[in-house]
């Protein structure tokens, strides 16, 4: 049985409740249910954490070293700002996939750069909640290839 940590970064708790023109009407609970359904089919265990605090996300990543086989993360706005989050992910050396609901390359210039992309297995963006399920499939393939 594989164990995966799913991390949702700052403000993703607002998903479906605000700015539906950018992020759609799917809520974070909907996203998590899609992931849990896929995880059940693929016989993997998910632990899901959403936090608006960088340190909580980093602590969760450190703790995952003890139990997880991989990380699936939407770092939210920290994507474009956080060296500390990048260092935490590369520090635990677990396979990681970065996902985004929106196509960050089609948006404002400041969203085009990710501090995370350079240290992950792969990145999926622009497919709404499907980015997460596609990302989980990619992560599981990467883990099973090891
Ligand atoms: O497209 C994505 O998934 C993002 O990671 C979402 C972040 C944004 O800063 C990244 O550039 C791209 C924002 C997450 C906040 O989500 C909200 C959802 C509804 C209302 C307000 C914020």
């Amino acid at each position: 049985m594989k164990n995966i940590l799913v991390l949702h970064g700052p403000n993703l708790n607002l998903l479906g409740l605000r700015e539906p023109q950018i992020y759609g009407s799917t809520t974070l609970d909907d996203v998590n249910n899609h992931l849990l359904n896929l995880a059940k089919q693929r016989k993997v265990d998910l632990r899901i954490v959403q936090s608006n605090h960088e340190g909580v996300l980093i602590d969760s990543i450190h703790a995952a070293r003890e139990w997880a086989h991989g990380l699936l993360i939407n770092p939210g706005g920290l994507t474009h700002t956080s060296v500390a989050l990048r260092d935490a992910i590369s520090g635990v050396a677990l396979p990681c996939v970065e996902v985004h609901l929106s196509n960050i390359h089609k948006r404002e210039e400041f969203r085009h750069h990710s501090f995370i992309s350079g240290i992950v297995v792969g990145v999926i963006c622009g497919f709404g909640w499907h980015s997460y399920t596609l990302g989980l499939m990619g992560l599981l393939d990467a883990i099973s290839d090891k």
Side-chain angles (χ1 to χ4, degrees), residues 10-12 14 18-19 23 74 76-77 80 100-102 104 111:
N11 299 310
L12 284 160
L14 296 178
R18 308 291 295 269
E19 301 191 45
Y23 297 112
N74 182 346
H80 320 295
H100 299 281
L101 297 149
S102 61
I104 55 176
R111 295 188 201 273

Side-chain angles (χ1 to χ4, degrees), residues 15 28 46 54 61 70 74 113 115 134 145:
L15 207 59
L28 194 62
L46 302 184
E54 191 173 13
I61 292 166
N74 182 346
H113 176 259
F115 278 99
L134 291 166
D145 286 351

Side-chain angles (χ1 to χ4, degrees), residues 1-103:
M1 180 72 112
K2 300 287 187 195
N3 299 314
I4 305 294
L5 175 62
V6 177
L7 286 172
H8 303 287
N11 299 310
L12 284 160
N13 54 311
L14 296 178
L15 207 59
L17 310 176
R18 308 291 295 269
E19 301 191 45
Q21 70 285 1
I22 302 175
Y23 297 112
S25 54
T26 306
T27 65
L28 194 62
D29 279 349
D30 296 333
V31 172
N32 290 338
N33 284 329
H34 287 301
L35 282 171
L36 288 165
N37 286 338
L38 176 61
K40 198 171 171 189
Q41 286 166 32
R42 302 288 294 260
K43 297 186 171 28
V44 296
D45 239 21
L46 302 184
R47 286 192 209 171
I48 303 176
V49 173
Q50 188 279 326
S51 180
N52 296 323
H53 305 278
E54 191 173 13
V56 171
L57 296 167
I58 291 172
D59 286 344
S60 304
I61 292 166
H62 290 179
R65 213 158 44 108
E66 303 298 324
W67 63 268
H69 299 94
L71 307 173
L72 181 72
I73 184 167
N74 182 346
L78 294 173
T79 306
H80 320 295
T81 63
S82 183
V83 174
L85 193 59
R86 175 195 172 105
D87 288 345
I89 296 167
S90 62
V92 295
L94 288 167
C96 179
V97 170
E98 173 187 354
V99 299
H100 299 281
L101 297 149
S102 61
N103 179 352

